[in-house]
Amino acid sequence: MSGLRVVPAFRHGRERLYVCRTDGAAVAWYDRESGRVDLLAEDDRDAVLQVLHPFLTGPVTVGPPPLPTPAELARLTLHPDDDLAPNRPGEALLVALDRHPGPAHRLRPDPRRRALSAEQAVGQALDGLEGAGWHTLHSVPLPGGDRIHHLVIGPGGLFAVHALYARRARVRVADPMVALGRREAAPLLRPLRSAADRASYALTAEVHPLLALVDPAEVTVTARPRGMRILREPELADLARLGGVLKPADVEALHGMARDRNVWLRV
């Protein structure tokens, strides 16, 4: 076979090298992280390995693509409008700002933009956990106009994460109240717990609430919140150290269920 070329691409945050014919059809792909070359036809083996040779690092496994798991098959049947996986961090705010950007000139910054920056910072940190076997869904809609900023599923369990903009502010937490700087305290932890409970009901699995603080000057916790984690945005990477709760197959199955918008209509 001649005319094969190697085309790099990213799939689910991982780089793949696709081997394509001149018409663009893929005949194989190489995943560096797993060290595997998936062949669509055994007859192409020699030609594929020859064109991939300059890119191979270490020993590789060569063979047909593995059969899809039940969770992967379920994802393939999702209508694109029902799939939450493509949601960007702060998706709901991005849509709202696009539809109603507000006045061009205002005395105070639009609070939606501050909230968006917080969700984007937290979302970026959580997306970085993917290499450790975690999945994150952003802007998960709930009936009644509520939403979960980020739903994280991984070996350490499930977490409903609320991102809070706290730039240079002193944060005081006295369950269920949260105060930012000189602002009056608000019972922020109550709706966060409620969202986690609703997620637990939808997924029939325990979901823990987590408050993620973005760039606070100081954090004081006077009453330790029951069953809740409070982390600064850089500390979210520590979730990768958690394990022993879910097996990889369970993580995939729960992620496949959670990304279906219809699952959330019943909560």
Side-chain angles (χ1 to χ4, degrees):
M1 176 181 292
S2 61
L4 293 181
R5 60 194 179 98
V6 177
V7 180
F10 284 86
R11 179 179 171 86
H12 303 311
R14 296 169 63 174
E15 184 185 20
R16 276 184 177 178
L17 298 178
Y18 285 84
V19 180
C20 303
R21 296 192 181 99
T22 54
D23 61 0
V27 298
W29 52 89
Y30 169 47
D31 188 322
R32 280 198 177 102
E33 187 172 329
S34 63
R36 180 178 177 84
V37 176
D38 289 319
L39 281 171
L40 295 182
E42 182 64 27
D43 292 343
D44 299 335
R45 175 187 288 259
D46 292 341
V48 165
L49 291 179
Q50 181 178 357
V51 74
L52 278 177
H53 180 72
F55 306 95
L56 299 179
T57 56
V60 296
T61 302
V62 183
L67 293 174
T69 66
E72 290 170 334
L73 288 174
R75 289 199 294 270
L76 292 174
T77 63
L78 272 182
H79 189 280
D81 291 342
D82 293 329
D83 191 356
L84 299 177
N87 280 7
R88 300 161 293 178
E91 182 75 30
L93 288 171
L94 286 166
V95 172
L97 286 166
D98 184 59
R99 291 176 177 172
H100 306 287
H105 303 284
R106 52 189 302 158
L107 295 177
R108 295 182 179 179
D110 190 331
R112 295 178 300 173
R113 297 195 179 276
R114 291 184 172 182
L116 174 60
S117 68
E119 289 191 42
Q120 289 175 330
V122 170
Q124 182 177 4
L126 294 174
D127 285 340
L129 298 173
E130 185 169 351
W134 293 73
H135 295 293
T136 303
L137 296 171
H138 308 290
S139 282
V140 177
L142 300 175
D146 296 330
R147 64 188 176 91
I148 298 172
H149 290 180
H150 314 278
L151 180 71
V152 196
I153 306 170
L158 297 90
F159 297 90
V161 181
H162 183 92
L164 183 61
Y165 182 90
R167 182 171 175 78
R168 299 180 182 177
R170 296 179 59 187
V171 180
R172 301 181 303 281
V173 181
D175 194 7
M177 310 299 287
V178 178
L180 291 177
R182 297 181 179 179
R183 283 185 254 174
E184 186 176 351
L188 181 63
L189 302 189
R190 286 176 184 165
L192 177 50
R193 282 198 178 96
S194 175
D197 289 342
R198 295 170 76 178
S200 297
Y201 179 80
L203 302 175
T204 62
E206 187 175 12
V207 179
H208 303 279
L210 191 158
L211 179 63
L213 303 172
V214 177
D215 203 18
E218 181 182 339
V219 180
T220 303
V221 180
T222 58
R224 180 63 57 181
R226 171 183 49 83
M228 180 178 300
R229 292 175 182 264
I230 298 177
L231 300 176
R232 299 170 186 251
E233 174 257 319
E235 296 171 337
L236 292 170
D238 294 341
L239 292 175
R241 302 176 184 176
L242 302 180
V245 177
L246 295 175
K247 298 178 181 178
D250 296 329
V251 171
E252 294 300 324
L254 284 166
H255 178 241
M257 181 189 304
R259 65 189 292 177
D260 184 354
R261 185 184 301 272
N262 297 295
V263 167
W264 303 97
L265 297 179
R266 63 189 186 189
V267 298

